[in-house]
Amino acid sequence: MNKHALITGITGQDGAYLSQLLLGKGYRVHGILARRSSDTLWRLRKLGIADEVELIDGDLTDLSSLIRALQTSKADEVYNLGAQSFVGSSWQQPLLTAQVDGVGALNVLEAVRIVNPAARFYQASTSEMFGLIQAEMQDESTPFYPRSPYGVAKLMAHWATVNYRESFGLHASSGILFNHESPLRGIEFVTRKVTDAVARIKLGLQQELRLGNIDSKRDWGFAGDYVEAMWLMTQQAEADDYVIATGRTTTVREMCRIAFEHVGLSMEDALVIDPAFVRPAEVDVLLGNPAKAKAKLGWTPRTSLEQLITGMVDADLRRLQR
Ligand code: NAP
Ligand code: F7E
């Protein structure tokens, strides 16, 4: 018997890679499709799986749609990846972010509790919950200190996941994932903004790249590696919380330099610092310790930052040349 998975956020970066992984394992993959006027299936199409997943209309803010999705999909595993995931926008849309990322997760937990409490649940938590870091290297025991409405909303969802595990015995795990990127990353995030701009500058389609704070540091990994960790969490006998990271941190400036040097261009010739992209409060540095995931899940990241960024530049060059 094939297992059934239900993914919220199936049209996002991680939703697409997770769908591909689960289809490869023989799952029937169902996804919540939040209706939009424009095309959101491009990532699933790019991976060649748009016709293999089963889409169900729904929205994280609509509990009844989630209950119906749980019933229709007969899901054994539920992955809550849907979110307003752009930190920068969360200051402009704090209430929407709280509704979708915070209350939305609670809605999914309620749907699981009502329809099938035996289903296994994964919550897409984030290193943004560490925010103003309380330890040089962050692990599962590091206190949280979110610095954005996004981080605050995600913290609620994280604790709701822990609480439903402890209150109702749900198999509910929280993956505290550090930044992960890919050629399917949204263009508003800094890695993809940089790789797209570098490709455009190389092809003579753009002159400059405008960024905000290039001194902040992130622990960047490859999304394809990170979705494996999500699946491993739902396969464990006991649900738990795990930090998923590479254990290496790099400034935005250095990440940018890797991209420019890959195509033989000088970063200094094109980079313009623009205060418009500086945030009201910044997370200056993130560095995760994935030791628990390694020991208990057998998970390790396989892609270096250099491989990740140069691969993203190459993918953007190919796309723009077409
Ligand atoms: P993403 O590309 O922004 O995808 C977000 C997904 O959520 C999209 O499918 C989007 O649908 C959907 N969505 C937005 N609002 C919704 C709503 N009201 N109801 C239902 N679905 C809704 O994000 P990602 O990078 O794949 O990240 C996946 C999850 O991991 C997110 O929860 C994110 O916050 C979290 N996370 C990401 C990272 C990272 O570095 N990527 C790190 C830690 C945690 P549309 O396509 O229609 O907009
Ligand atoms: O910013 C700086 C910015 O938007 C990274 C999401 O997936 O990871 C992501 O959140 C850094 C920040 O990602 C620009 O100030 C400078 O310090 O790529 P980002 P993020 O905010 O770290 C976490 C783990 C998530 O959970 C989120 O969902 O880059 N930066 N100049 C810039 N960032 C952007 N976007 N654009 C700039 O022009």
Side-chain angles (χ1 to χ4, degrees):
M1 280 286 280
N2 289 353
K3 276 194 196 169
H4 290 232
L6 176 65
I7 304 175
T8 75
I10 193 167
T11 55
Q13 170 189 259
D14 292 5
Y17 282 114
L18 180 65
S19 297
Q20 187 180 47
L21 179 82
L22 296 179
L23 287 167
K25 292 182 184 298
Y27 279 68
R28 270 183 71 178
V29 176
H30 308 257
I32 301 274
L33 184 64
R35 281 282 160 205
R36 306 277 191 257
S37 61
S38 57
D39 172 38
T40 53
L41 298 183
W42 64 273
R43 293 184 173 97
L44 294 167
R45 255 189 238 114
K46 207 150 209 157
L47 297 182
I49 55 172
D51 295 332
E52 294 181 51
V53 297
E54 298 169 50
L55 299 171
I56 304 170
D57 279 4
D59 195 288
L60 283 164
T61 59
D62 182 340
L63 174 60
S64 66
S65 74
L66 299 173
I67 290 174
R68 264 192 295 281
L70 254 294
Q71 289 166 336
T72 315
S73 65
K74 300 188 168 48
D76 307 294
E77 294 170 16
V78 179
Y79 296 87
N80 183 35
L81 310 186
Q84 189 302 95
S85 76
F86 187 43
V87 173
S89 287
S90 74
W91 280 280
Q92 312 308 323
Q93 303 184 66
L95 300 174
L96 175 109
T97 305
Q99 286 299 333
V100 175
D101 301 13
V103 178
L106 196 51
N107 282 336
V108 182
L109 283 163
E110 272 298 284
V112 169
R113 182 180 161 214
I114 291 165
V115 179
N116 179 14
R120 296 185 169 201
F121 174 84
Y122 171 84
Q123 169 59 22
S125 289
T126 164
S127 51
E128 278 293 302
M129 301 187 310
F130 294 121
L132 188 63
I133 53 165
Q134 304 293 300
E136 201 179 322
M137 210 173 186
Q138 301 89 54
D139 64 18
E140 295 78 7
S141 64
T142 305
F144 298 118
Y145 193 142
R147 292 272 279 172
S148 64
Y150 169 80
V152 171
K154 282 286 187 174
L155 194 51
M156 177 196 160
H158 170 74
W159 281 120
T161 302
V162 174
N163 182 253
Y164 271 51
R165 182 168 74 220
E166 293 176 355
S167 305
F168 306 118
L170 293 194
H171 192 291
S173 295
S174 177
I176 306 173
L177 272 55
F178 283 59
N179 299 53
H180 46 279
E181 321 291 314
S182 74
L184 301 186
R185 188 59 145 150
I187 201 85
E188 64 273 35
F189 299 94
V190 76
T191 53
R192 184 75 204 296
K193 181 174 173 180
V194 167
T195 63
D196 175 69
V198 165
R200 284 175 189 276
I201 294 167
K202 181 69 183 173
L203 297 174
L205 302 171
Q206 184 174 323
Q207 268 80 49
E208 59 180 31
L209 164 62
R210 303 182 87 85
L211 293 179
N213 175 19
I214 59 172
D215 293 320
S216 64
K217 296 172 98 176
R218 290 291 181 274
D219 179 331
W220 279 293
F222 170 51
D225 294 345
Y226 283 39
V227 297
E228 288 182 18
M230 298 177 187
W231 177 74
L232 285 167
M233 284 179 222
T234 59
Q235 307 314 300
Q236 303 306 303
E238 303 288 333
D240 205 344
D241 307 321
Y242 296 90
V243 159
I244 302 297
T246 69
R248 169 184 171 191
T249 191
T250 311
T251 58
V252 172
R253 183 196 306 275
E254 276 315 301
M255 178 274 293
C256 212
R257 194 183 305 282
I258 294 169
F260 275 96
E261 285 182 356
H262 179 57
V263 295
L265 291 174
S266 158
M267 176 174 94
E268 284 72 22
D269 292 343
L271 188 57
V272 177
I273 300 302
D274 186 340
F277 295 107
V278 174
R279 296 173 175 178
E282 180 62 282
V283 173
D284 293 321
V285 52
L286 289 171
L287 172 61
N289 179 357
K292 178 176 171 182
K294 190 173 185 182
K296 297 209 166 166
L297 304 176
W299 180 87
T300 44
R302 289 194 300 261
T303 314
S304 73
L305 181 63
E306 286 74 12
Q307 289 169 329
L308 174 66
I309 297 300
T310 59
M312 288 171 67
V313 172
D314 290 342
D316 277 318
L317 277 170
R318 281 195 299 274
R319 180 180 54 85
L320 290 164
Q321 276 161 341
R322 271 202 303 274

